[in-house]
């Protein structure tokens, strides 16, 4: 018996049991009051069922099956291999050494039933249209719409199935946040973190729009982005770079602008990952050798003020879809967590679209439907690519036996169909009902439509190689340049095409001559150092960009794309320097022996300017490079970057040459080893610039663009400076790793402020080639200060209502004319005779209808929360010699309130404003009620502090706030 047969024997009975069994009820929440998240005694967690075998575990099973019972020697070999496997699996080592009890499951309060979509005025028409379509659907069609067809069962990374008879097409879902994944002839835009660093709302929108044009022209309905979670609690977190920065306000604005940009083209945006998927280690079961995913344990106020905040902005912006994350939150899987999905997302935030699971993040069948999940992706259930869905035929069964109410299924489907109408995707000219015109799975012109299935299929044209790039390289370059942060500049930048401008050159040469007695004549000698300056083996050398080689344009994982090209820094430097005046010498590796590739063999000691490139990479947890398992192990520049800089600085012009350090990185990098070296005159933090890397960098270096990027995170002097909360949990602290967010609101700059730690470069920091002056803060109150918002409004529209009669069982039978593909997820069943309605053990709290949130009532929550309460004006003037863009930032300080702890300050406003030399403008910040409030756990609402004074501090970074006003 081979592994597959063995697995099937185990799987089938278990799988049936998971609907209508105790196990299923365990996979949901239990009864806590809304403010009590952690300590009440809960149910025993279901032991991981045999069906949760990972590929690794299946492989072991295979070994046992093939040789296990036959020879002792073979058993010995297998034993040794298993031991090795355990040793290699950090999690495994820990767990088996230190057997620990699993924490009780479901410490998140229950919130039932799922609020129905269709209450918002903004979506009313789409819901009316959707209702007309959904009421005509059969049970199988409804299930089709909610369930993916399986991994690699379509040309996109996710596809559901159509409802053919009513005219609802198969939806094509594709990553990701920075471009169209697995596609040709697309743009590799700068990553989210670079977009965050621009602090430019218009560019955030423009990038989203261009991305969506490409998606639509490639045949994609749903983009799996933008990403606002992780938020960046831990600076070494592997996927922080997909998002926009370690502050909820910045993430919220950038996420919402991106959503608006994407959806302006009719493509559905997906805001992800909901919620608290802050690190890669242990993010999902078995990937790290453990049977369960990590639990992020968060208190109610922190959840609202930090992690859920940007999702609120996205919902307000009308986002069509929300992706729930892999991890658990308060010991309940995020995709089966009724408090999060039903309570916060659908009731409090009034989300009108559909909740989609991350790929295999659904961990239960009925329970996740009841908890508010609407679509499962990619369709396979607990294991990759086995065709065993937790929904599909099992959802059909669950509806027929009464465990999933028909009403819930109708709401799931209506939400998806309404989102499709809402984005105008019923327009067949814009969204032809066809597969995408590219395949994620082959670069050949021809291939099969469902490569995940081994069933014989006809080959058809799957790649049409359509070029959708248009002029998007212009936006990509602008974002990359504006997202470049100048951290240090001691009168060196900008340089000129001749090296340095005549005055600077003369001054420099005479200083060196005086100091060394050596006279530089002739061409200006520039050295470029570091592998990160060059093309390496090409930008796509490693699958999913899962390695650090050549210049770093993006992190790795599902958030990366195939680069159509990547302009490396050296290419652009070669182009820009005037070869009549400048000698360019290239040392494009990180060796400290400095062997330059050109023939001149100029001594490093003779160089006058040295540009050193270092980088730091990370990515999604499914891939590992060197010692970076998704999350970085530290914040150092990688590949010996520190040594490279120190060495270049000491040898460049014998220590008197000027040094510019350029950093490409996924997040903060500690630079203490060299930042204060006297000849390190300039430091440029270029984030992850995408395909236009070299061009954008030289735009800044040569002063064609005046730098205006600002840090979207704090750069500390050490990883330890970020405190306990800033540390990734690299080794599991139990069978279900527990990560307690005990620091509450104090991450990134909030932590540095509270603990009075001097960062190296603070959040919001960024230099320019000119100087700006802030003055005249004026605060205008537009409304009375009242603690609570007005009452939640009654729904502006009524959700559709349908018959709730359970359909006839015969509807679920496999139509005989269907030619079945192996492992493809269908909605049908072979036999329906054994399906009987019965008593289903619903989760604790299921029967108790929850009170509606006072913070809810419309899309984005109570509309009162979005009303502008305060306007703050500030004047800003360009006092320097050149034109440039300034980013006035507004930080708020709350009045003191007994029993409530407030951060020293929180970001609540920013704009990017272009000013000519001598020009000044008045900038207006509009603050909503939500901006001025804190989340009160007793009132379960956003509250303004009525007593005392609010202070608004304005300036150029979180620690450079020269002017202020009060309210
Ligand atoms: C990632 C998601 C991505 C999905 C589909 C998952 O592993 O976490 O961000 O959208 O795969 O590729």
């Amino acid at each position: 018996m081979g592994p597959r047969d063995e697995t099937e024997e185990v799987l089938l009975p278990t799988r049936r049991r998971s609907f209508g069994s105790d196990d299923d009820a365990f996979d949901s929440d239990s009864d806590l009051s809304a403010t009590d998240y952690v300590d009440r005694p809960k149910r025993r967690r279901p032991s991981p069922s045999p069906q949760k075998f990972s590929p690794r575990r299946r492989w072991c099973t295979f070994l046992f099956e093939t040789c296990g019972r036959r020879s002792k020697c073979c058993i010995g070999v297998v034993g040794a291999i298993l031991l090795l496997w355990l040793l290699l699996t950090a999690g495994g080592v820990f767990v088996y050494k230190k057997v620990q009890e699993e924490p009780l499951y479901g410490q998140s309060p229950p919130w039932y039933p799922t609020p129905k979509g269709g209450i918002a005025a903004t979506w009313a028409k789409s819901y009316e249209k959707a209702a007309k379509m959904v009421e005509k659907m059969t049970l199988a069609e409804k299930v089709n719409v909610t369930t993916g067809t399986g991994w690699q069962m379509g040309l996109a990374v996710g596809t559901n199935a159509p409802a053919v008879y009513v005219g609802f097409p198969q939806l094509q879902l594709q990553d990701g946040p920075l471009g169209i994944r697995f596609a040709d002839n697309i743009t590799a835009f700068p990553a989210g973190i670079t977009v965050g660093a621009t602090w430019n709302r218009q560019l955030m929108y423009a990038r989203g729009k261009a991305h969506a044009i490409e998606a639509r022209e490639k045949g994609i309905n749903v983009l799996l982005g933008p990403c606002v979670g992780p938020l960046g609690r831990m600076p070494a977190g592997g996927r922080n770079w997909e998002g926009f920065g370690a502050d909820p306000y910045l993430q919220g604005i950038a996420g919402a602008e991106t959503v608006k940009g994407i959806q302006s083209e009719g493509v559905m945006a997906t805001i992800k990952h909901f919620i608290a998927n802050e690190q890669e280690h242990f993010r999902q079961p078995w990937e790290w050798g453990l049977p369960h995913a990590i639990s992020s344990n968060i208190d109610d106020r922190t959840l609202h003020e930090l992690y859920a905040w940007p999702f609120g902005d996205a919902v307000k912006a009308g986002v069509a879809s929300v992706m729930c994350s892999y991890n658990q939150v308060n010991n309940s899987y995020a995709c089966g967590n009724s408090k999060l999905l039903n309570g916060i997302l659908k009731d409090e935030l009034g989300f009108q679209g559909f909740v989609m699971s991350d790929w295999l993040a659904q961990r239960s069948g009925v329970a996740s439907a009841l908890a508010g999940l609407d679509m499962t992706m990619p369709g396979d259930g607990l294991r990759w690519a086995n065709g065993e869905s937790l929904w599909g035929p099992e959802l059909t069964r669950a509806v027929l036996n009464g465990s999933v109410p028909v009403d819930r299924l109708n709401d799931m489907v209506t939400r998806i169909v309404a989102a499709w109408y809402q984005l105008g995707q019923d327009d067949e000219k814009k969204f032809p009902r066809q597969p995408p015109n590219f395949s994620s799975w082959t670069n050949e012109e021809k291939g099969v439509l469902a490569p995940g299935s081994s069933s014989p299929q006809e080959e058809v044209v799957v790649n049409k190689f359509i070029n959708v790039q248009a002029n998007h390289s212009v936006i990509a370059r602008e974002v990359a340049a504006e997202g470049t942060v100048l951290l240090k500049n001691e009168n060196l930048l900008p340089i000129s095409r001749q090296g340095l401008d005549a005055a600077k050159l003369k001054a420099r040469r005479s200083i060196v001559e005086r100091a060394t007695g050596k006279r530089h004549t002739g061409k200006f000698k520039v050295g470029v150092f570091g592998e990160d300056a060059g093309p390496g083996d090409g930008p796509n050398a490693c699958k999913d960009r899962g390695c650090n080689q050549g210049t770093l344009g993006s992190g790795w994982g599902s958030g990366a794309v195939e680069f159509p090209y990547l302009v490396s820094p050296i290419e652009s430097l070669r182009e820009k320097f005037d070869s009549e005046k400048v000698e360019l010498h290239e040392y494009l590796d990180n060796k400290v022996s400095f062997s330059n590739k050109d023939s001149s063999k100029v001594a490093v000691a003779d160089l006058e300017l040295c540009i050193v490139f270092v980088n730091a990479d990370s990515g999604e947890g499914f891939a590992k490079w060197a010692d970076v398992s998704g999350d970085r192990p530290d914040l150092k520049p990688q590949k010996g970057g520190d040594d490279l800089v120190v060495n270049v600085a000491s040898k460049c012009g014998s220590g008197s040459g000027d040094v510019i350090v350029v950093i490409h990185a996924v997040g903060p990098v500690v630079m203490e080893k060299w930042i204060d070296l006297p000849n390190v005159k300039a430091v440029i933090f270029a984030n992850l610039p995408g395909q236009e890397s070299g061009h954008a960098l030289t735009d800044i270096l040569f002063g064609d663009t005046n730098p205006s990027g600002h840090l979207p995170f704090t750069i500390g002097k050490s990883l330890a400076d970020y405190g306990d909360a800033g540390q990734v949990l690299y080794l599991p602290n139990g069978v279900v790793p527990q990560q307690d967010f005990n620091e509450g609101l104090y991450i990134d700059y909030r932590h540095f402020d509270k603990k009075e730690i001097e960062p190296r470069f603070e959040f919001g920091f960024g230099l320019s080639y000119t100087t700006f002056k802030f003055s005249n803060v004026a605060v205008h109150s537009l409304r009375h200060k009242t603690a609570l918002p007005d009452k939640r409004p009654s729904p502006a529209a009524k959700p559709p209502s349908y018959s709730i009669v359970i359909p006839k069982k015969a509807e679920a039978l496999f139509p005989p004319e269907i030619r079945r593909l192996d492992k493809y997820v269908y909605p049908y069943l072979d036999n329906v005779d054994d399906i009987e309605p019965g008593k289903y053990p619903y989760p604790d709290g299921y029967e108790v209808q929850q009170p509606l949130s006072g913070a809810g009532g419309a899309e984005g929550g109570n509309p009162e929360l979005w009303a502008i309460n305060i306007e703050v004006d500030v004047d800003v003037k360009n006092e320097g010699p050149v034109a440039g863009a300034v980013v006035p930032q507004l930080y708020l300080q709350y009045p003191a309130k007994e029993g409530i702890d407030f951060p020293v300050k929180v970001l609540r406003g920013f704009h990017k404003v272009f000013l000519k030399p001598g020009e000044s403008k008045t900038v207006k910040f509009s603050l909503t009620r939500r901006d001025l409030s804190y989340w009160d756990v007793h009132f379960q609402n956003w509250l303004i502090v009525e007593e005392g004074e609010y202070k608004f501090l304005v300036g150029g970074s979180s620690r450079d706030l020269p002017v202020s006003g009060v309210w």
Side-chain angles (χ1 to χ4, degrees):
M1 190 165 54
R4 170 137 186 93
D5 299 338
E6 187 270 346
T7 326
E8 243 153 32
E9 253 184 23
V10 181
L11 282 182
L12 287 176
T14 319
R15 185 158 55 90
R16 285 204 195 95
R17 214 173 48 232
S18 79
F19 289 87
S21 75
D22 269 8
D23 275 18
D24 208 36
F26 279 133
D27 269 358
S28 62
D29 320 319
S30 52
D31 54 347
L32 279 186
S33 77
T35 52
D36 179 0
Y37 272 67
V38 252
D39 325 300
R40 299 253 304 270
K42 289 290 136 277
R43 286 167 181 258
R44 188 180 51 77
R45 180 184 298 271
S47 47
S49 70
Q51 62 199 128
K52 290 180 181 173
F53 281 0
S54 68
R56 277 179 257 184
R57 195 151 161 200
R58 188 164 129 183
W59 180 73
C60 298
T61 313
F62 170 74
L63 281 176
F64 274 118
E65 283 299 319
T66 46
C67 75
R69 289 176 201 104
R70 269 180 247 141
S71 106
K72 277 186 188 161
C73 158
C74 199
I75 289 179
V77 172
V78 170
I81 293 172
L82 270 178
L83 194 67
L84 189 66
W85 174 72
L86 285 175
L87 283 169
L88 289 174
T89 311
V93 179
F94 188 88
V95 170
Y96 290 98
K97 233 173 65 185
K98 191 172 168 186
V99 178
Q100 295 207 348
E101 233 187 79
E102 294 181 359
L104 297 159
Y105 186 71
Q107 293 168 343
S108 182
W111 210 107
Y112 298 100
T114 304
K116 286 188 186 155
I119 58 142
T122 37
W123 284 64
K125 285 214 175 72
S126 304
Y127 267 88
E128 267 170 41
K129 291 185 204 162
K132 288 193 186 123
M133 183 179 269
V134 174
E135 71 187 2
K136 287 189 239 139
M137 286 186 191
T138 62
L139 173 58
E141 284 184 317
K142 290 178 185 172
V143 170
N144 261 352
V145 173
T146 64
T147 304
T149 52
W151 181 238
Q152 300 194 329
M153 292 302 178
L155 300 183
V157 295
T159 44
N160 63 354
V164 178
Y165 296 112
V166 296
F168 187 75
Q170 179 174 53
L171 298 177
Q172 312 294 337
L173 287 60
Q174 192 74 1
D175 290 301
L178 68 69
I180 317 292
R181 187 183 183 199
F182 293 143
D184 56 275
N185 290 300
I186 49 88
T187 304
F189 291 97
I193 202 68
T194 318
V195 178
T198 68
W199 297 63
N200 183 330
R201 294 167 192 244
Q202 283 78 34
L203 276 184
M204 291 164 179
Y205 179 91
R207 170 181 171 271
K209 192 176 176 73
H211 188 185
I213 292 172
E214 298 194 2
R216 201 186 55 230
E217 292 181 359
K218 284 281 182 188
I220 295 302
N221 301 84
V222 185
L223 266 180
L224 304 175
C227 172
V228 294
L231 179 63
R233 175 182 187 254
M234 290 153 279
R239 296 183 78 180
N240 293 349
W241 59 273
E242 292 186 42
F244 305 99
D247 174 83
Y249 185 87
L250 179 60
Q251 286 270 12
I253 300 288
E257 290 300 331
T258 307
V259 166
K260 287 186 214 158
I262 292 174
Q263 299 201 157
S264 70
E265 289 297 323
V267 173
M268 299 189 218
T270 307
I271 197 87
K272 67 187 189 183
H273 306 86
F274 193 70
I275 199 169
N277 187 168
E278 292 292 317
Q279 66 168 53
E280 292 304 285
H281 280 74
F282 322 120
R283 65 173 183 159
Q284 58 172 321
W286 293 119
E287 195 176 58
W288 302 86
L290 296 175
H292 295 294
I294 192 169
S295 177
S296 301
N297 303 324
I298 312 180
D299 70 85
D300 188 28
R301 182 171 169 212
T302 304
L303 187 78
H304 279 84
E305 291 186 29
L306 287 192
Y307 299 95
W309 177 288
F311 288 92
D313 289 277
V315 174
K316 180 70 181 166
V319 73
S321 163
V322 172
M323 185 189 287
C324 51
S325 56
Y326 283 124
N327 56 295
Q328 306 189 46
V329 178
N330 298 329
N331 283 299
S332 174
Y333 277 101
C335 288
N337 188 315
S338 65
K339 169 71 184 173
L340 291 177
L341 303 185
N342 289 341
I344 292 183
L345 191 58
K346 290 184 173 174
D347 173 53
E348 191 181 305
L349 294 177
F351 174 55
Q352 299 298 296
F354 61 95
V355 178
M356 160 207 314
S357 72
D358 197 343
W359 270 229
L360 256 67
Q362 184 193 22
R363 306 311 293 172
S364 64
V366 174
S368 57
L370 302 178
L373 185 69
D374 303 307
M375 181 189 275
T376 178
M377 278 292 150
D380 308 286
L382 297 169
R383 294 193 312 162
W384 277 103
N386 68 352
E388 308 278 352
S389 189
L390 288 162
W391 283 1
E394 299 303 334
L395 181 56
T396 304
R397 182 190 304 281
V399 172
L400 290 178
N401 73 19
S403 42
V404 168
V406 176
D407 224 17
R408 179 72 265 270
L409 177 69
N410 285 336
D411 176 55
M412 285 151 71
V413 181
T414 308
R415 283 173 172 274
I416 298 167
V417 177
W420 178 76
Y421 275 120
Q422 179 80 352
L423 274 292
Q425 295 199 357
D426 51 323
D427 177 349
E428 288 194 50
K429 281 200 212 95
K430 282 192 177 163
F431 292 90
R433 295 164 185 218
Q434 281 163 8
N437 53 42
F438 70 99
S439 168
S440 301
W441 320 118
T442 175
N443 294 331
E444 303 299 318
E445 186 181 16
K446 285 190 158 188
V448 295
L449 291 175
S453 175
S454 55
S455 300
Q457 294 162 63
E458 192 196 337
E459 289 217 339
V460 293
V461 171
V462 289
N463 277 313
K464 296 189 181 151
F465 307 108
I466 294 174
N467 190 329
V468 294
Q469 295 160 326
N471 62 349
H472 301 156
S473 61
V474 176
I475 294 168
R477 181 171 178 166
E478 268 178 54
V479 174
E482 286 206 24
T484 296
V485 187
L486 180 61
L487 293 179
K488 180 174 179 183
N489 186 19
E490 289 182 355
N491 198 27
L492 178 65
L493 296 180
I495 54 175
S496 85
R497 282 163 177 68
Q498 290 74 41
L500 294 179
D501 64 36
K504 273 192 202 161
L505 184 62
K506 199 165 161 221
R508 219 206 95 72
R509 284 189 167 170
S510 64
I511 293 171
V512 173
E513 200 178 324
R514 254 180 279 135
T516 63
K518 223 172 142 188
R519 199 151 172 236
H520 270 294
T521 49
K523 288 189 185 179
F524 187 72
K525 293 188 183 60
V526 179
V528 177
F529 296 79
E531 182 187 323
D532 183 73
D537 298 328
N540 300 323
C542 302
K543 195 168 178 293
D544 284 312
R545 315 298 71 80
C547 66
N548 183 356
Q549 67 80 38
T551 194
L552 187 69
S554 87
W556 72 69
S558 60
V561 297
E562 308 299 305
F563 279 87
Y565 62 84
L566 172 48
V567 182
S568 65
I570 195 67
E571 282 170 62
S572 193
L573 286 167
R574 282 181 202 143
E575 209 178 282
K576 286 236 173 131
F577 274 124
D578 175 355
S579 58
E580 300 280 301
K581 306 274 181 195
V582 175
E583 259 177 49
L584 189 62
H585 300 280
E586 302 176 10
Y587 308 79
L588 301 184
D589 56 38
N590 287 15
K591 289 190 201 126
V592 285
S593 56
F594 300 141
S595 54
N596 61 336
K597 305 273 180 284
D598 53 66
S599 53
S600 64
K601 297 280 176 236
V602 71
V604 176
D606 288 336
L607 297 173
E608 294 174 88
L609 174 69
C610 296
I611 313 177
V612 197
F613 287 79
V614 296
N615 70 24
D617 198 1
S618 72
E620 193 171 341
F622 67 71
K624 179 175 191 289
W625 167 78
D627 56 355
V628 188
S629 304
D631 308 305
R632 284 183 287 165
D634 51 45
L635 301 183
K636 293 181 192 155
Q638 292 164 357
K639 294 191 145 181
D642 274 337
D643 291 345
L644 182 69
V645 178
V646 171
N647 206 30
V648 170
S650 71
K651 306 225 166 88
C652 180
S654 290
S656 66
D658 289 334
V659 177
I660 302 169
V661 181
V662 178
I663 304 162
H664 290 119
V666 287
V669 168
V670 169
M671 36 190 97
E672 295 309 299
K673 290 227 162 107
W674 41 263
I675 187 73
D676 282 332
L677 293 178
N679 61 336
V680 172
K681 295 269 175 61
V683 177
I684 293 177
F685 204 92
N687 292 296
L688 297 173
Q691 68 182 31
E692 288 291 320
S693 173
H695 288 150
L697 179 71
T698 52
D699 286 346
I700 298 289
L701 272 176
F702 292 92
D704 300 333
T705 301
N706 190 346
S708 62
H710 289 255
L711 287 177
F713 42 68
T714 300
I715 296 185
K717 292 182 180 162
S718 71
L719 177 55
D721 278 0
Y722 294 82
D724 289 347
Q727 313 305 315
V728 168
L729 185 72
Y730 295 106
L731 288 174
N733 51 10
V735 179
V736 184
Q738 298 291 303
Q739 193 157 49
D740 298 330
F741 288 33
N742 288 333
E743 74 288 353
L745 304 172
Y746 301 99
I747 66 165
D748 202 80
Y749 67 88
R750 293 162 160 86
H751 161 79
F752 281 76
D753 284 353
K754 186 180 169 84
K755 301 281 179 190
E756 296 180 351
I757 299 169
E758 193 61 40
R760 173 52 65 179
F761 295 109
E762 71 270 18
F763 177 85
F765 181 82
L767 300 172
S768 163
Y769 297 149
T770 185
T771 47
F772 300 100
K773 186 167 177 224
F774 298 93
S775 57
N776 301 333
V777 172
V779 179
H780 310 283
S781 178
L782 307 187
R783 293 178 164 228
H784 281 305
K785 218 188 240 182
T786 53
L788 275 164
D790 284 352
K791 242 178 86 220
R792 167 186 175 124
S794 332
K798 239 177 123 195
S801 75
Y802 308 93
S803 157
I804 51 163
V805 176
I806 294 181
K808 294 209 173 58
K809 287 199 266 184
E811 267 190 39
L813 280 171
F814 245 110
E817 67 276 14
I818 283 193
R819 190 178 72 87
R820 298 192 205 181
L821 294 182
D822 180 39
K823 294 206 258 176
Y824 196 92
V825 178
Y826 296 95
Y828 306 111
L829 295 160
D830 281 319
N831 187 343
V832 290
D833 297 343
D834 62 338
I835 301 177
E836 294 300 336
K839 192 154 168 33
Y840 179 75
Y842 286 105
D844 288 352
Y846 181 69
E847 310 297 341
V848 185
Q849 175 137 10
Q850 292 300 311
L852 299 182
S853 167
E859 188 176 29
N862 189 336
E864 264 278 295
L865 296 171
W866 298 94
I868 310 290
N869 278 32
I870 292 285
E871 280 176 353
V872 180
D873 292 342
V874 66
D875 293 340
V876 56
K877 182 171 183 202
N878 182 350
E879 293 200 320
V882 287
V886 58
V887 179
Q889 301 166 33
L890 178 142
Y891 293 81
L892 175 159
Q893 277 181 344
Y894 289 89
K897 180 166 178 173
E898 213 190 316
I900 308 287
D901 196 30
F902 289 111
V904 174
K905 57 175 132 33
V906 294
L907 179 72
R908 285 293 186 264
F910 66 86
H911 290 290
K912 194 163 221 180
V913 186
F914 186 83
L915 294 172
K916 292 191 236 100
E919 192 184 4
S920 59
K921 277 186 186 158
T922 302
V923 177
K924 188 183 287 303
F925 300 99
S926 301
L927 280 84
T928 64
R929 175 177 274 276
R930 188 185 65 149
D931 291 336
L932 296 160
S933 301
Y934 72 95
W935 179 257
D936 191 290
V937 295
H938 300 292
F939 281 95
Q940 284 294 294
N941 211 330
W942 293 98
L943 244 70
I944 284 180
V945 185
E946 275 178 302
E947 304 292 314
E949 250 177 15
Y950 278 79
K951 193 165 179 188
F952 306 104
L953 307 146
V954 183
S957 83
S958 65
R959 292 203 169 192
D960 174 20
L961 299 163
V963 291
S964 63
V966 295
W967 179 47

